[in-house]
């Protein structure tokens, strides 16, 4: 006969499994988006239209994952009425889910620019800026997801710090592309396509930084959005 | 003496007040962001740096509102454990809150471009595209917030429809600006600033459309994200 205690424990185990599952699903989606991003950068610098098309066609898989995860979260909130750190996990997953999906969107936008570049003529810049900022941003994304997986505040703070340096590099990359435009106005169209891809990378850096901020909230219960990197460090550095 | 029934009713009234409050606070934030957007467009087309600076300096108020609303939502989830449509309201407010804040961000970005345009020289285009798309997007935002306030699915669907036409107009505006760039490469810098502002307007249209999708979820419990406008109409048109 099932005793009341056993029943409670059974429910609680199932609840823990559900919480683990939303985390796992979000990380799976994150892994997929990482792949999409890295493939999009390769497609762009190599002018590989077939790869770009396949990235664009896979974006809906990310969208489906986003909707499924939101649905799981709503179900947990309704059925389990989580409290304290369990509730923070669910709210964090809802927030991070949006950022991960937007990163997938931006990767698909980069793929679309790469199709345009292959069709209208490649940019004369050799895509040094795209490669460089693409590496930085890919690294930020990997670290942000890893910080979420391991609840690692220190690593999350590093991601927030990196975003400031990406913004600087982005500014100087744009200036260098403007110089190319002025040198030969016939390249304006191609360089604009490259600029839009660069802008997507910069946005991905912002989203990775958002994810990192949500990790700080999840682990510490602190809302560190809209603050300077130094202010964030001040608040969290006491215990890592 | 307070009876059990009175006590329950008292709790339930307070809960309803809290739900009304998060809605009101979100709409207040939406109203503020609408003002920021409309002021940013005026500042840009009139080259009014003082107004642009004041928009930039007020962005932190929107950020504070976002954090306060998220905090209220987390508190309601933890204390009241809402179910059914109450839960959907809280989850919707959490989602819409992010979109409204990002619209505030984009309005501040437009203000920053307007400072650059005033400093580096105005664009030769007369900002016809900015005015036109700015009107469309301002209208979408107003309608999306109004649909949320009145739980009006029909109006929400109109906003989703408008977004497709904004995307088209945005594409043709960009092509027209490229022509200006090629005509006189000395204007490239100024026109790029205008393009970035245009891009922000296009993003604001996307966020307004997101808000409208969340309204459909709130009222109907349907997740209509990542679908064509026609598919959305198919799903919701049976009862409006």
């Amino acid at each position: 006969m099932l005793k009341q205690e056993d029943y409670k424990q059974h429910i609680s185990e199932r609840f823990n499994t559900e919480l683990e599952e939303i985390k796992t699903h979000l990380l799976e989606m994150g892994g997929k988006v990482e792949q999409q991003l890295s493939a999009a950068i390769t497609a762009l610098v190599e002018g590989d239209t077939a790869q770009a098309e396949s990235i664009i066609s896979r974006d809906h898989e990310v969208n489906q994952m986003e909707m499924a995860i939101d649905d799981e979260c709503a179900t947990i909130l309704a059925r389990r009425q989580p409290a304290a750190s369990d509730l923070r996990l669910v709210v964090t997953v809802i927030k991070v889910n949006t950022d991960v999906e937007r990163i997938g969107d931006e990767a698909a936008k980069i793929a679309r620019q790469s199709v345009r570049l292959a069709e209208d003529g490649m940019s004369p810049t050799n895509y040094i800026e795209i490669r460089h900022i693409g590496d930085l941003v890919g690294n930020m994304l990997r670290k942000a997801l890893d910080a979420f997986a391991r609840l690692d505040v220190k690593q999350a703070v590093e991601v927030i710090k990196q975003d400031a340096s990406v913004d600087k590099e982005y500014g100087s990359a744009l200036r260098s592309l403007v110089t190319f435009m002025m040198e030969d106005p016939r390249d304006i169209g191609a360089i604009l396509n490259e600029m839009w891809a660069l802008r997507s990378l910069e946005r991905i850096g912002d989203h990775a930084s958002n994810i990192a901020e949500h990790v700080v909230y999840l682990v510490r219960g602190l809302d560190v959005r809209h603050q300077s990197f130094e202010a964030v460090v001040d608040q969290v550095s006491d215990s890592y």
Side-chain angles (χ1 to χ4, degrees), chain A residues 49-212:
Chain A
T49 308
Q51 175 153 330
E53 301 281 8
S54 117
I55 293 159
I56 296 165
S57 75
R58 279 197 306 269
D59 186 42
H60 80 274
E61 296 170 21
V62 175
N63 297 340
Q64 293 304 320
M65 287 167 126
E66 182 202 19
M67 288 166 66
I69 289 169
D70 270 347
D71 199 38
E72 283 180 83
C73 288
T75 305
I76 291 181
L77 286 174
R79 285 212 203 131
R80 306 293 185 189
Q81 307 176 329
S85 70
D86 295 338
L87 176 59
R88 278 216 302 279
L89 175 64
V90 179
V91 171
T92 302
V93 170
I94 291 176
K95 291 281 190 182
V96 171
N97 195 21
T98 304
D99 283 301
V100 174
E101 189 272 333
R102 302 266 158 93
I103 293 173
D105 267 0
E106 298 294 342
K109 281 185 195 170
I110 294 170
R112 264 179 232 115
Q113 295 305 334
S114 114
V115 173
R116 269 179 216 135
L117 280 162
E119 280 171 359
D120 306 346
M122 300 286 276
S123 165
T125 62
N126 211 14
Y127 304 109
I128 295 168
E129 285 81 7
I130 293 276
R131 290 170 210 264
H132 175 56
I133 297 185
D135 279 348
L136 291 177
V137 163
N139 182 265
M140 279 177 72
L141 175 57
R142 192 158 42 250
K143 273 167 114 172
L145 292 170
D146 195 50
F148 173 73
R150 298 191 289 110
L151 303 178
D152 184 338
V153 171
K154 193 171 176 179
Q155 183 148 314
V157 171
E158 274 171 37
V159 173
I160 298 168
K161 184 177 179 184
Q162 277 178 296
D163 192 39
S165 84
V166 165
D167 288 349
K168 260 190 209 161
E169 304 253 4
Y170 169 70
S172 77
L174 282 187
R175 282 189 294 278
S176 134
L177 293 183
V178 171
T179 315
F180 272 100
M181 277 185 172
M182 290 182 164
E183 272 169 17
D184 191 344
R186 283 170 303 179
D187 291 326
I188 286 176
I191 295 176
L192 261 181
N193 288 333
E194 187 176 353
M195 277 188 178
W196 296 127
L198 212 50
R199 174 70 152 206
S200 288
L201 290 176
E202 186 264 342
R203 293 296 301 146
I204 292 174
D206 288 345
H207 288 297
S209 179
N210 292 345
I211 295 172

